[in-house]
Amino acid sequence: CRIRRWIVQRNAPRRHPEWRRWRKNAQQADGSEVCYFFPEVRQERLDILLEVARKGIDGLLIGCCRQVPMLLYHPEMIKTYQQKTGTNPLEIDASTGETYNDWITWRANFFTQLLRDLSSELVTIEKELGKKIPVAVRIPAAGFFYNLAQGLDVKQWVSENLVDMLHLVPLEDRGGRGSQDIRPYQELCKSYDIPIIGGIGSRWEFNRESYLPSLRRAQGLLECGVDGIEVYESE
């Protein structure tokens, strides 16, 4: 039985409320989720992942579906971007086209940096253990644009060989917008030999009527040729 560990750590928001994320035009931080703009946040996550990796596990699964978006509109991040580009992210949205794309691409790079740092540090650990520790990331199957807006630059991860597997979850948090089509992910990952695990569930424990659609989704995923099925939140 192969063991993959999903790491969640929520000590940072309690110790450092100044790292909590802000929603657009908010007057204060939102909830307990933290913003990956801050190096200290990324370092805390990295330390946890490396601690687990050193135990000789078979792989790491980084679950993003509990927090997305990973980055929003923290005032310090807004200030940095405005100083860098002259653009105020609070005054743009998806309707502004390339200006918005530039913003969300820059913003998503902070979570990507965590994956870069993890990949770099794992090289030494893998040499010590004498084996590869693959990294899987669980993300919403929202499509690349919505992933990017959520702070998840999937295309960049793949181009830099930062992930060894993708888990695609049908998380619905966009008011019906976006897509659950996994084929673009398969096309992207095919040449990099990155397996795609199709997810079912996500919020089905709150709605018994979703059991049958979830099973139908599993059937459709298998027909699309996924490399495995993930049952998420099955309790």
Side-chain angles (χ1 to χ4, degrees):
C1 178
R2 291 184 175 272
I3 307 292
R4 283 186 168 84
R5 293 292 302 272
W6 176 25
I7 308 303
V8 176
Q9 172 57 267
R10 293 189 177 272
N11 287 334
R14 292 192 293 269
R15 297 196 310 266
H16 296 279
E18 70 274 16
W19 296 341
R20 294 177 185 174
R21 66 181 186 179
W22 288 54
R23 295 194 178 274
K24 192 172 186 178
N25 297 317
Q27 300 301 311
Q28 60 184 9
D30 175 63
S32 62
E33 288 85 357
V34 290
C35 178
Y36 282 84
F37 168 74
F38 295 100
E40 297 88 348
V41 170
R42 300 195 299 271
Q43 187 62 52
E44 185 198 39
R45 273 30 180 189
L46 179 62
D47 289 344
I48 296 165
L49 291 164
L50 295 177
E51 178 183 350
V52 176
R54 292 187 183 98
K55 297 181 183 296
I57 56 166
D58 298 298
L60 291 167
L61 171 56
I62 303 174
C64 295
C65 291
R66 290 285 189 178
Q67 169 163 342
V68 286
M70 314 307 288
L71 301 107
L72 280 167
Y73 291 85
H74 194 286
E76 291 193 33
M77 183 168 61
I78 295 295
K79 179 180 178 181
T80 299
Y81 188 75
Q82 192 166 5
Q83 290 174 340
K84 177 181 176 64
T85 67
T87 299
N88 183 354
L90 297 176
E91 297 175 352
I92 61 175
D93 56 30
S95 68
T96 58
E98 197 60 35
T99 303
Y100 182 74
N101 288 336
D102 290 344
W103 153 241
I104 60 177
T105 299
W106 178 86
R107 181 175 64 176
N109 189 61
F110 294 105
F111 186 80
T112 301
Q113 188 59 49
L114 170 63
L115 297 182
R116 292 188 186 109
D117 294 340
L118 175 62
S119 178
S120 177
E121 293 288 345
L122 282 178
V123 171
T124 300
I125 296 176
E126 289 171 340
K127 288 181 179 179
E128 294 173 351
L129 295 175
K131 68 174 184 178
K132 169 74 174 175
I133 300 178
V135 175
V137 184
R138 178 193 286 129
I139 63 172
F144 296 129
F145 172 77
Y146 283 102
N147 289 149
L148 188 61
Q150 293 171 328
L152 307 170
D153 195 345
V154 181
K155 291 182 178 180
Q156 190 66 31
W157 303 349
V158 171
S159 70
E160 294 187 32
N161 295 309
L162 299 178
V163 295
D164 300 291
M165 181 182 295
L166 283 180
H167 288 223
L168 302 175
V169 173
L171 179 65
E172 183 48 69
D173 63 345
R174 302 171 308 284
R177 296 170 296 178
S179 171
Q180 299 292 347
D181 189 350
I182 68 163
R183 289 172 295 183
Y185 296 95
Q186 289 178 303
E187 184 65 27
L188 173 68
C189 294
K190 180 169 56 177
S191 60
Y192 292 87
D193 197 26
I194 296 176
I196 298 290
I197 305 299
I200 63 174
S202 187
R203 292 185 61 82
W204 65 348
E205 76 276 20
F206 303 119
N207 181 6
R208 292 177 181 271
E209 294 181 358
S210 67
Y211 291 169
L212 184 56
S214 292
L215 293 174
R216 286 175 174 165
R217 175 176 173 80
Q219 183 178 13
L221 290 168
L222 291 170
E223 291 172 353
C224 282
V226 295
D227 297 287
I229 297 289
E230 177 189 68
V231 181
Y232 185 50
E233 287 188 337
S234 62
E235 70 273 25

